[in-house]
Amino acid sequence: MKRILLIIMCVCVASLSLVAKESRRPVAAKHLFIEAPDDVFPMIDENTRLDMIDYYESEHNRPSLSVFDDSCIVTCSDSMCIEIKASDVLHYQLSIPVYDIIVLISTHSIPMPDSEIAFYDFEWQALSTEKYFTEPRLSDWLTDEGVKCREDVENIVPFIVASYNFDVDSGVMTITNRLREYYDNNTWQKVSKWIRPQLTYKWIGKKFKKQ
């Protein structure tokens, strides 16, 4: 009897293991883009997303129209990342650095590119950004000269404008300072000595770490 129970238990464990492996099969970034709820990509409905993928994978990639009649197009797509131009001023980068975590970077160009980052699970439930990424503070951007002139920096630089780009293959996210497009030449000559041009973060399994 004990032997039969043991066999049954082994079969159950093996079955559960197979189910777990099946549920953890890789999901292509394009499928997550298509299946995203409307509030994530409110200007691109599901049918339009399907068309965008079809056009991208066809011989002739051409734009579709968003709900606001903006041209939207997939500019890059592989199993781990998809990039979408949703309009002339909005770009998305959806990446999968690890199973069950989606990194979504939204970049608005009005006029200089400025990015936001958000995290979701594969059911598109929002995850706490603070758990995976700490947004750089002014002190992270300061050069050695900027540290010495911090009071002047704070008076002239009210905020940092920066664009994000995540290379999921290397695990490196580059954050680029876009203040050059905000200031006139004279002011920029002064500011550029205080603020670093770029910061880099590395995905280390479950979060981004500043390099």
Side-chain angles (χ1 to χ4, degrees):
M1 186 65 178
K2 288 182 179 180
R3 194 173 188 180
I4 294 174
L5 289 173
L6 182 60
I7 293 172
I8 292 172
M9 289 175 64
C10 290
V11 170
C12 289
V13 169
S15 299
L16 288 172
S17 177
L18 287 172
V19 170
K21 289 180 180 178
E22 183 73 16
S23 66
R24 293 177 69 88
R25 281 183 176 178
V27 177
K30 66 180 181 181
H31 295 308
L32 292 168
F33 170 58
I34 292 168
E35 296 166 2
D38 291 341
D39 61 348
V40 177
F41 301 105
M43 70 297 297
I44 311 174
D45 61 41
E46 185 176 348
N47 288 334
T48 303
R49 292 177 224 163
L50 285 165
D51 289 341
M52 292 168 66
I53 296 296
D54 287 343
Y55 293 147
Y56 179 81
E57 294 179 344
S58 70
E59 186 176 351
H60 303 289
N61 189 16
R62 65 182 181 86
S64 301
L65 288 179
S66 72
V67 297
F68 302 117
D69 289 332
D70 290 317
S71 293
C72 48
I73 191 169
V74 173
T75 59
C76 181
S77 179
D78 59 32
S79 62
M80 299 176 68
C81 181
I82 183 169
E83 298 187 21
I84 304 104
K85 180 183 177 183
S87 73
D88 289 339
V89 298
L90 177 58
H91 177 271
Y92 292 104
Q93 184 185 45
L94 186 164
S95 304
I96 314 169
V98 68
Y99 175 81
D100 205 28
I101 295 179
I102 300 167
V103 178
L104 182 63
I105 296 173
S106 309
T107 302
H108 294 80
S109 300
I110 44 176
M112 67 287 294
D114 192 28
S115 295
E116 297 176 353
I117 189 168
F119 299 83
Y120 300 87
D121 63 20
F122 274 22
E123 300 300 321
W124 282 103
Q125 298 297 311
L127 303 173
S128 171
T129 299
E130 291 73 19
K131 181 179 179 181
Y132 302 99
F133 172 69
T134 301
E135 186 176 355
R137 299 180 292 271
L138 177 62
S139 58
D140 295 314
W141 285 102
L142 294 178
T143 62
D144 291 342
E145 186 171 345
V147 172
K148 297 175 184 177
C149 305
R150 175 148 188 165
E151 186 174 345
D152 292 331
V153 178
E154 291 175 344
N155 288 332
I156 298 177
V157 184
F159 49 79
I160 299 291
V161 182
S163 61
Y164 295 17
N165 183 73
F166 181 32
D167 181 349
V168 70
D169 289 326
S170 66
V172 174
M173 180 167 65
T174 303
I175 304 181
T176 302
N177 166 13
R178 295 290 186 171
L179 289 173
R180 175 67 184 90
E181 300 158 67
Y182 179 76
Y183 290 106
D184 59 62
N185 287 332
N186 289 335
T187 306
W188 173 245
Q189 290 302 314
K190 181 183 294 186
V191 170
S192 63
K193 300 175 184 178
W194 297 337
I195 305 293
R196 299 179 187 278
Q198 289 185 333
L199 298 175
T200 57
Y201 286 73
K202 178 78 173 181
W203 181 264
I204 53 169
K206 282 289 185 177
K207 65 178 181 178
F208 285 105
K209 182 178 180 181
K210 185 174 176 293
Q211 300 297 286

